Amino acid sequence: MRKHWRLGALAAVAVGVAAIVILTFAGRKPARLNLLLVSIDTLRPDHLGAYGYAQARTPTIDKLAREGVTFEDVITSVPLTLPSHSSMLTGLSPLAHGIRDNANFRLADEFVTLAEVLRANSYTTGAAVGAFILDRRYGLNQGFTYYDDDMSRGRQPSSFGYPERTADRVTASALEWLKTAHEPFMLFLHYYDPHAPYQPPAGFQNVAGGNPYDGEIAFTDQELGKVIAYLAAQHLLKRTLVILTADHGEGFGEHGEQTHGLLLYNGTLRVPLIIRVPEASRLARVAGKAVRGTFQQQPARTIDIYPTALEILGYKQMTDVDGRSLVPMLEGKTLPPVVSYFESMASYFSYRWCPLRGVRFNE
């Protein structure tokens, strides 16, 4: 198995950072808010009602948007599942954490995940993932006391080759865990259904005129709605920060790529980001006005989720990460321009084509 790329010096620094992060946060008293982090694989924002798609059947996500802040210009670091989630959960670019492709890479133990920080501060941490590519062998289970990656009764797609399980099974796992989880908790949900091949279940095959991709999204939205409904029924939602995003989008042949992973265009790089701040947070109202239902047009990145979540939960980001907190945006402020790095190394590792790298300058 090919080991992932990293410099020895970088690894040594990361070990020090790990200790600093946990010790720094462990000595602080956070607001005792819960966290629900939802990643819907391969979800393009322009296929959601909250982003103006009239044919969408996404009432759960649209309601989260009405009750939160919708970020309109968000990009991922890599249009692949494992590298993107590695960045999402560490706040680091692929240049730092070294996960450059789905195959033959593993997030090293010295990199600190969001779950590790919260677990060090007495959070109960649970996760339910929808595809084998986030199996614990790839390292993203770090910090989770419960990490359900059981694909034994999942389906084996005819393409891509990754066993997966449908959204109803992910939701069932999440609800079972929530029944025993104590507050404060972090729950990470990964739904894989919108990933190719698109096979929506009965009752969702006629969404958007029979578009199977939209049908998969609608089914996922329904299952996510069950988790949100449970939190509301148990009076937990008012104390739970909800962050919804995706690891990457989908090409749909717009630039000659039907799915994703090889090319770097907005169709595969741009993702949704909705942050619903709970009523118990001071950020629920800014300057006396509710932040509910607002739109944020300033550019953001999925690597910003890590520091943003920590700050909303009551922790100031004290260490070096590549992402930055978006809390100032929630407060109505303008952040300075930032350079966004993105890459696709899959073409190199799979076909020995020239790797693709890019940066976006946000002004």
Side-chain angles (χ1 to χ4, degrees), residues 138-160:
Y138 299 115
L140 291 187
N141 65 315
Q142 295 176 39
F144 288 103
T145 55
Y146 174 82
Y147 194 85
D148 184 6
D149 54 358
D150 182 9
M151 302 294 147
S152 61
R153 291 182 296 149
R155 63 187 184 187
Q156 177 68 52
S158 58
S159 61
F160 283 90

Side-chain angles (χ1 to χ4, degrees), residues 25 28-33 121 123 313-315:
F25 289 136
R28 299 171 66 88
K29 291 184 179 297
R32 309 307 281 175
L33 299 175
N121 290 278
Y123 272 69
L313 295 175
Y315 304 97

Side-chain angles (χ1 to χ4, degrees), residues 236-249:
L236 297 170
L237 192 58
K238 61 185 178 182
R239 296 189 299 276
T240 301
L241 167 66
V242 181
I243 300 178
L244 182 141
T245 189
D247 53 350
H248 53 74

Side-chain angles (χ1 to χ4, degrees), residues 1-4 80-83 98-106 132-133 138 160 162 345-346 349-350:
M1 178 175 289
R2 185 192 305 115
K3 294 183 178 180
H4 69 270
L80 285 170
T81 300
L82 181 60
I99 311 301
R100 318 302 287 274
D101 196 4
N102 279 340
N104 302 323
F105 286 82
R106 181 185 183 278
F132 174 77
I133 194 56
Y138 299 115
F160 283 90
Y162 295 120
M345 302 291 289
F349 290 120
S350 298

